[in-house]
Amino acid sequence: MENKQINIGIIGCGRIAQTRHIPEYASNKNANILGYFDFNKQRAEEIAKKYGGKVYESVEAMLADNDIDAVSVCVTNSAHASISIQALNAGKNVLCEKPMATSLEDSEAMVWAAKKNHKLLMIDQNQRFAKTHIRAKELLEKNTIGKALTFKSTFGHGGPETWSVDGGPNTWFFDKNKSKYGAIFDLGVHKIDLVQYLLNSAVNNVSARLTTLDKKDSTGKLIGVDDNAISIYELDNGVIGTVTSSWTYYGEEDNSTIVYGSEGIMKIYDDPTYSIVVIKKNGEKILYDIDQIQTNDNQTKSGVMDEFIDSLIEKRVPKSDAESVINSMRAVFASIESNETGKRVSISGTK
Ligand SMILES: NC(=O)c1ccc[n+]([C@@H]2O[C@H](COP(=O)([O-])OP(=O)(O)OC[C@H]3O[C@@H](n4cnc5c(N)ncnc54)[C@H](O)[C@@H]3O)[C@@H](O)[C@H]2O)c1
């Protein structure tokens, strides 16, 4: 694929496609968006008018187009696996949104489809790409806070009903048939993936509770998926910590991760000015002003689409290659099992 543009198809033209995928491809000189498909044809047409490219009549029509090299899958969670596998089998490379799939079996089938077809499958675990997280990982690897012992990672905001292009109390995010799970799938998966990335170790045991406390659908009934989830994760390297995901943090978003080590504390995206604050054992503070996290209201370039395009051109494995995300999916589904059984769940097959 050297010396040629990568031709992209966008499947699903909602909020994440409009805020990240489409503008980030549009600003990449090696990417060319050939066209769009969305159940809502008018939405796809409006996007095509704004950014150029055509509107396809179906996923099949897009995948049958030999000029398409790769697709971004930006649809509801329930369709990630089927569309990604269909695209891989049609010989396309795939960048799929998180959560990768709605079951571990489907996640593994996606990885297998990529391998079988010798195509690239990347998952949009964009927290790995945030400059502050990259720096925090380097600082942790340099033992800036000594040996990591425990962590507390949180992703909470007021809920997806103000985010989705089809928002409000009937958003698909609240519909179990389309989302399968709630806050843990929407937000928890980001932090479960992040802590393993930052601490360079895999989750091997999980205890979790998922609950629905406050979110109601248009009939006034509590929604059928979790609006809060709290999990305890034990890592292979002995580190233990919690991941909290919430759709009921009204008024202010929390996207912070705090790591407590033998020589001090590292607070990441916890201070409004300094994206990393290191507090040494003796109380000394070191402040790092690196960047601000992307939030629903503050969209900055994620770098994910650039990495997808670069890895296709350079024929290399991308940073959030699907295989590297499998253990995050294992941890998510172990959390769900722990909630259902009331037991601590051990993850087999961790690397
Ligand atoms: N990486 C991130 O930080 C991040 C942030 C937000 C959303 N997401 C993920 O992106 C995906 C899409 O979320 P969103 O916020 O854009 O939702 P959205 O409701 O704003 O948009 C979804 C779009 O997909 C279309 N659609 C749904 N199913 C389809 C199908 N089978 N075929 C074609 N079109 C279909 C809808 O008509 C709509 O236009 C979700 O899986 C979500 O978890 C990721």
Side-chain angles (χ1 to χ4, degrees), residues 11-18 20-21 37-40 43 59 73-80 83 97-99 124-127 155 163-167 171-173 178 185-186 190 294 296:
I11 305 175
C13 298
R15 186 71 67 203
I16 198 66
Q18 292 180 29
R20 298 210 197 119
H21 292 251
F37 172 68
D38 195 294
F39 279 159
N40 183 328
R43 188 168 292 149
V59 170
V73 178
C74 305
V75 299
T76 50
N77 304 342
S78 56
H80 287 184
I83 293 179
E97 264 307 332
K98 50 51 62 177
D124 186 7
Q125 294 292 162
N126 53 295
Q127 293 239 339
F155 200 166
W163 157 269
S164 166
V165 281
D166 299 309
T171 169
W172 68 265
F173 280 96
K178 293 187 175 149
F185 257 25
D186 187 32
H190 277 299
Q294 295 136 5
N296 285 359

Side-chain angles (χ1 to χ4, degrees), residues 146-159:
K147 180 180 177 320
L149 301 171
T150 64
F151 63 84
K152 178 171 86 177
S153 190
T154 308
F155 200 166
H157 60 44

Side-chain angles (χ1 to χ4, degrees), residues 124-264:
D124 186 7
Q125 294 292 162
N126 53 295
Q127 293 239 339
R128 294 191 199 180
F129 293 78
K131 288 193 180 74
T132 288
H133 286 149
I134 293 168
R135 185 81 173 108
K137 184 173 168 64
E138 285 164 11
L139 291 170
L140 288 166
E141 279 165 5
K142 282 190 200 149
N143 291 323
T144 307
I145 58 162
K147 180 180 177 320
L149 301 171
T150 64
F151 63 84
K152 178 171 86 177
S153 190
T154 308
F155 200 166
H157 60 44
E161 65 271 38
T162 55
W163 157 269
S164 166
V165 281
D166 299 309
N170 289 329
T171 169
W172 68 265
F173 280 96
F174 293 170
D175 176 354
K176 199 172 175 53
N177 291 324
K178 293 187 175 149
S179 59
K180 188 87 187 271
Y181 293 95
I184 196 161
F185 257 25
D186 187 32
L187 306 177
V189 69
H190 277 299
K191 295 304 186 188
I192 293 162
D193 188 72
L194 176 71
V195 293
Q196 296 181 105
Y197 167 74
L198 283 180
L199 297 164
N200 203 19
S201 186
V203 170
N204 62 28
N205 274 289
V206 182
S207 316
R209 285 290 294 139
L210 277 62
T211 184
T212 313
L213 300 174
D214 192 56
K215 288 285 177 211
K216 297 185 182 74
D217 64 21
S218 56
T219 68
K221 277 203 318 224
L222 280 176
I223 58 173
V225 294
D226 52 291
D227 62 13
N228 279 275
I230 301 179
S231 311
I232 300 172
Y233 293 108
E234 298 166 55
L235 306 187
D236 280 342
N237 62 3
V239 178
I240 184 168
T242 58
V243 169
T244 298
S245 27
S246 177
W247 279 344
T248 62
Y249 284 12
Y250 302 117
E252 192 175 61
E253 184 162 329
D254 186 347
N255 209 320
S256 67
T257 299
I258 305 179
V259 184
Y260 302 86
S262 58
E263 302 299 321

Side-chain angles (χ1 to χ4, degrees), residues 305-323:
M305 313 331 134
D306 288 349
E307 169 71 359
F308 184 52
I309 297 296
D310 287 351
S311 56
L312 283 170
I313 290 172
E314 294 160 18
K315 296 189 192 324
R316 62 169 171 80
V317 176
K319 186 164 174 169
S320 56
D321 173 56
E323 206 163 2

